């Protein structure tokens, strides 16, 4: 079963406007972490923002903020004042325990949302 | 700051050949993860190592093997390559249990093309 769901395959936004990229997750763990990564056409995976399950405040990093609604199991990414350089694929990911147990975790990714910023 | 280094950046191989991808984690990071990202797909977890021991295994084909060496760098060995192995292969590193912010750092990836 998909543990990270991104329902928007593609999104369009006008330059300088704000955009919200949706992410819902499924876990039975009490302690987990949620990440957003940006992948431009060049391919590298760029970390944007992190939200821990016990964090009481929504995470913010510059123009990026995470709208964390724990009861709804959603962790939407909000990009304010969009720029042309924001055009990229955006992945939501969840840190979950590795199947072998122990103290290591792995990231599980959603299918991604392709954001296009129009001038 | 030093990042995760992957080599080579690009690799072209013929079917049934072998390929070796290398990953050099951030200094002092003891855990390495390998991911495969097919065209238009999300990254899929392949395998991970902690302190030079395999710590978890994902959807890694039997034709692939990997190890982590004493200097913590890791190599992904791929044999009997198939066209479907064409993908972007990412390596990520972390310090033990991945903590908050920047818990995982990804390399720039190796783009493997099998022809």
């Amino acid at each position: 079963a998909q543990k990270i769901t991104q329902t928007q395959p593609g999104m369009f936004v006008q330059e300088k406007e704000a955009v919200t990229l949706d992410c819902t997750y499924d876990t039975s763990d009490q302690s987990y972490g949620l990440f957003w990564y940006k992948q431009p056409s060049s391919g590298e995976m760029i970390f944007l923002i992190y939200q821990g399950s016990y964090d009481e405040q929504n995470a913010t990093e510059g123009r990026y903020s995470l709208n964390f609604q724990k009861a709804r199991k959603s962790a939407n990414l909000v990009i304010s004042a969009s720029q042309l350089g924001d055009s990229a694929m955006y992945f939501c990911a969840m840190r979950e325990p590795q199947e072998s147990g122990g103290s290591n975790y792995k990231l599980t990714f959603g299918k991604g949302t392709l954001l296009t910023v129009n001038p | 700051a030093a990042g995760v280094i992957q080599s080579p950046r690009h690799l072209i191989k013929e079917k049934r050949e072998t390929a070796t991808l290398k990953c050099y984690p951030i200094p002092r990071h003891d855990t390495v993860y390998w991911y495969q990202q097919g065209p238009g797909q999300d990254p899929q977890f392949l395998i991970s190592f902690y302190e030079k021991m395999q710590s978890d295994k994902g959807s890694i084909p039997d034709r692939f093997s990997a190890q982590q060496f004493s200097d913590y760098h890791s190599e992904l060995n791929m044999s009997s390559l198939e066209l479907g192995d064409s993908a972007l292969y990412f390596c990520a590193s972390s310090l033990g249990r991945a903590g908050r912010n920047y818990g995982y750092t990804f390399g720039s990836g190796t783009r493997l093309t099998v022809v």
Side-chain angles (χ1 to χ4, degrees):
Chain A
Q2 186 70 32
K3 294 190 176 182
I4 296 285
T5 302
Q6 294 180 253
T7 57
Q8 307 153 315
M11 286 284 286
F12 293 88
V13 65
Q14 286 298 122
E15 194 177 7
K16 300 180 185 176
E17 292 187 349
V19 62
T20 298
L21 306 183
D22 295 341
C23 172
T24 58
Y25 58 92
D26 181 28
T27 182
S28 57
D29 294 319
Q30 296 301 310
S31 176
Y32 52 89
L34 297 157
F35 298 75
W36 277 93
Y37 286 88
K38 172 185 178 181
Q39 187 176 41
S41 57
S42 52
E44 68 265 35
M45 196 69 76
I46 303 168
F47 167 80
L48 294 178
I49 198 167
Y50 168 88
Q51 181 83 43
S53 57
Y54 293 119
D55 293 342
E56 295 184 352
Q57 291 189 328
N58 287 340
T60 61
E61 293 283 352
R63 293 187 300 111
Y64 304 108
S65 60
L66 202 150
N67 184 0
F68 182 47
Q69 299 187 43
K70 196 170 181 177
R72 293 185 175 186
K73 292 189 175 178
S74 75
N76 298 338
L77 176 70
V78 180
I79 305 175
S80 62
S82 297
Q83 302 173 356
L84 295 178
D86 293 335
S87 293
M89 182 69 82
Y90 288 81
F91 289 100
C92 179
M94 180 171 65
R95 181 187 67 208
E96 59 175 343
Q98 296 194 18
E99 293 179 3
S100 57
S103 60
N104 287 99
Y105 293 73
K106 65 182 181 184
L107 283 180
T108 298
F109 289 84
K111 297 294 184 185
T113 296
L114 181 62
L115 176 66
T116 302
V117 180
N118 294 317
Chain B
V4 176
I5 306 296
Q6 288 189 249
S7 67
R9 289 296 307 275
H10 301 274
L11 190 59
I12 299 175
K13 290 286 185 177
E14 295 188 353
K15 283 173 53 178
R16 294 180 287 278
E17 284 192 321
T18 61
T20 298
L21 278 54
K22 297 184 179 182
C23 170
Y24 296 85
I26 288 177
R28 295 188 301 279
H29 278 194
D30 51 17
T31 307
V32 168
Y33 311 79
W34 285 97
Y35 284 83
Q36 177 192 57
Q37 185 180 23
Q41 302 296 313
D42 54 300
Q44 295 293 316
F45 172 71
L46 291 179
I47 195 167
S48 63
F49 293 88
Y50 169 66
E51 283 292 344
K52 294 155 278 186
M53 299 286 289
Q54 180 181 309
S55 60
D56 202 6
K57 203 169 183 180
S59 51
I60 184 169
D62 292 340
R63 298 178 289 106
F64 294 5
S65 65
Q67 58 181 324
Q68 186 178 31
F69 294 85
S70 58
D71 63 352
Y72 294 100
H73 95 272
S74 178
E75 294 184 4
L76 178 65
N77 298 294
M78 310 158 72
S79 63
S80 302
L81 287 169
E82 302 173 356
L83 296 178
D85 296 329
S86 295
L88 187 57
Y89 290 84
F90 283 107
C91 170
S93 74
S94 69
L95 180 61
R97 181 191 294 252
R100 62 183 305 108
N101 296 350
Y102 310 106
Y104 303 86
T105 303
F106 282 81
S108 297
T110 293
R111 191 171 295 278
L112 172 67
T113 303
V114 182
V115 297

